[in-house]
Amino acid sequence: MPVVTASLAERLARLGDDELSEVMQPYSDKERKAVLSSWYMRGRAHQLPPEGDWRTWLLMAGRGFGKTRTGAEWVRLAALRDSRARIALVAATLHDARTVMVEGESGLLSISAAEDRPSFQASNRRLTWPNGAMAFLYSADEPDQLRGPQHSHAWGDEIARWPRGLDAWMNLSMGLRLGDHPRAVLTTTPRPVPLVRALVSDAKVYVTRGRTVDNAANLPATFIETVEANYGGTRLGRQELDGELIEDAEGALWTRSLIEACRVQGVATEDGAGFDRIVVGVDPPAGEGAAVAACGIVVVGLRGPGAVVIEDASVQGLPPEGWARAVVAAADRHGADRVIAEVNNGGSMVTSVLRAVDSSLPVKPVRASRGKVARAEPVAALYEAGRVQHAGPFPALEDELCGLIAGGAYVGPGGSPDRADALVWAVTELMLGRGFRPGVRVV
């Protein structure tokens, strides 16, 4: 089932007049006004607190998702419902706590109606609601501030930026002991820091994830277009926009920072322009169907002393004729002079099915005598030397590269690094083959 991200208000707006009247019929005019203006009506599904008896809720999402608004609304409701509430507001610095959590555009003062807006005593670092509920500001770079105080609720903002995150969280969580159900909401853009890793791996922590585009209705269209064009698919974009927690596996042949350093923009990749050679690496699947591993199809060009990854054209779930057509299309798109196809699983069938689609296709069959990781090690060394570049982001391919572990293991997505293997075959042909010499490609 698709995940529902629209708010109740957005979903009600899609109803016809008769349907809306039926939904609102049980409520008085005063109740209707209160319902329609409530956060539970306007907040998107992922911005509303999870159901159940949870203690810690981690909202890990991209920039502009509405994390600050979510945390502030949760604190506001907690204060209005319980006059005895004692709430901790923790940010990376006291300046952040005040300017973002309290006084920011989505902060507690801005979102509150005049009749229930808290008063802010900056010198005491305290907010006080008309009913007596209180919130106190803390800085995560001074964890000992949290050692003594007790709280019934806590909101920690941008916890991935907390200078002493684990210490601050330990002291904060140990002080959550007031009331019947002490709880904490933690909001952040993900980064693989120790505190975020610990929370994500804790089965007792309820984790909600979200993307920048989930809040597109409240963001300028030009902003979405610009950030997607500049960062979509890159490690930075996947972290800052898609809210993914991206880590490097221990002992990986490729790291995310290595791949980002190899990324280039503005490379003309059509029709082989500017390249001495272009080849298509192919790692065919052993069978067919959606559950079968992908057919790795990666286009790589030779330019001077280095190589450029031009396209990841891999496909999944297609019969042999289907993936063969995808190979031929990729070769035609870029004017490839050779298709390097692994034949360990399919033998002569691989060459035959490719040539059945295009009899003139220049296929070079290759047979692996070593494992995928062993074949990948010399190619990873070329990356380390700065001799391989990526002409844009290739998220699925890069995830597989970063899942290849020195010594033979694979910990990336899927059961097999088929895209990565196709890249290895292509780069090996261009730069590690016996006949490699930089030259001029005549077309």
Side-chain angles (χ1 to χ4, degrees), residues 121-151:
Q121 299 85 43
S123 59
N124 295 325
R125 299 184 296 185
R126 182 178 68 207
L127 292 112
T128 305
W129 275 263
N131 68 353
M134 294 182 182
F136 306 89
L137 278 62
Y138 300 95
S139 171
D141 62 3
E142 298 182 58
D144 286 345
Q145 289 182 348
L146 294 159
R147 184 175 293 276
Q150 301 180 77
H151 304 98

Side-chain angles (χ1 to χ4, degrees), residues 54-378:
W54 55 272
R55 177 179 170 86
T56 304
W57 175 28
L58 173 61
L59 174 55
M60 194 165 58
R63 296 194 192 187
F65 170 86
K67 300 184 295 296
T68 302
R69 182 62 181 267
T70 301
E73 290 284 1
W74 181 80
V75 167
R76 185 182 71 86
L77 289 173
L80 296 180
R81 288 172 174 173
D82 185 359
S83 62
R84 298 171 300 169
R86 297 296 180 263
I87 306 165
L89 305 177
V90 188
T93 65
L94 281 175
H95 176 76
D96 290 339
R98 175 173 178 172
T99 59
V100 177
M101 303 174 80
V102 176
E103 299 177 335
E105 292 182 358
S106 298
L108 285 160
L109 296 182
S110 299
I111 67 168
S112 298
E115 61 270 19
D116 59 36
R117 182 175 292 116
S119 61
F120 179 41
Q121 299 85 43
S123 59
N124 295 325
R125 299 184 296 185
R126 182 178 68 207
L127 292 112
T128 305
W129 275 263
N131 68 353
M134 294 182 182
F136 306 89
L137 278 62
Y138 300 95
S139 171
D141 62 3
E142 298 182 58
D144 286 345
Q145 289 182 348
L146 294 159
R147 184 175 293 276
Q150 301 180 77
H151 304 98
S152 58
H153 302 77
W155 170 26
D157 190 43
E158 289 297 346
I159 63 168
R161 292 183 53 242
W162 287 7
R164 299 172 62 184
L166 288 173
D167 290 342
W169 172 240
M170 178 190 70
N171 287 336
L172 176 60
S173 60
M174 292 183 71
L176 279 174
R177 53 181 185 263
L178 292 181
D180 296 330
H181 299 287
R183 288 177 164 180
V185 169
L186 306 174
T187 53
T188 193
T189 302
R191 288 173 56 196
V193 298
L195 174 55
V196 175
R197 289 195 189 106
L199 290 167
V200 169
S201 63
D202 187 342
K204 296 181 180 179
V205 174
Y206 192 100
V207 181
T208 297
R209 303 173 189 269
R211 305 172 300 157
T212 299
V213 296
D214 293 340
N215 196 30
N218 299 307
L219 296 171
T222 53
F223 168 77
I224 299 291
E225 293 170 2
T226 299
V227 295
E228 286 290 347
N230 290 338
Y231 306 111
T234 67
R235 178 183 184 173
L236 182 64
R238 294 172 65 184
Q239 173 180 288
E240 301 293 320
L241 303 179
D242 296 335
E244 293 186 41
L245 181 62
I246 302 176
E247 301 187 70
D248 288 324
E250 184 175 354
L253 296 179
W254 278 265
T255 63
R256 305 287 177 174
S257 58
L258 172 61
I259 291 175
E260 290 300 327
C262 295
R263 202 180 309 286
V264 293
Q265 301 292 335
V267 176
T269 60
E270 295 297 324
D271 302 324
F275 291 95
D276 304 321
R277 287 191 65 196
I278 292 180
V279 301
V280 180
V282 181
D283 182 25
E288 58 183 272
V292 175
C295 175
I297 306 170
V298 177
V299 185
V300 182
L302 180 67
R303 187 170 63 174
V308 179
V309 181
I310 296 173
E311 182 186 4
D312 175 11
S314 304
V315 294
Q316 186 162 4
L318 297 182
E321 182 183 359
W323 57 253
R325 290 188 180 281
V327 172
V328 171
D332 289 344
R333 247 187 332 268
H334 301 286
D337 58 73
R338 192 71 59 88
V339 172
I340 314 301
E342 181 182 322
V343 297
N344 282 55
N345 290 324
S348 59
M349 181 276 291
V350 174
T351 303
S352 298
V353 73
L354 287 169
R355 287 183 173 149
V357 174
D358 183 349
S359 60
S360 64
L361 191 70
V363 181
K364 177 181 178 179
V366 290
R367 187 174 294 275
S369 58
R370 297 180 297 164
K372 293 178 184 287
V373 176
R375 296 197 305 275
E377 289 176 349

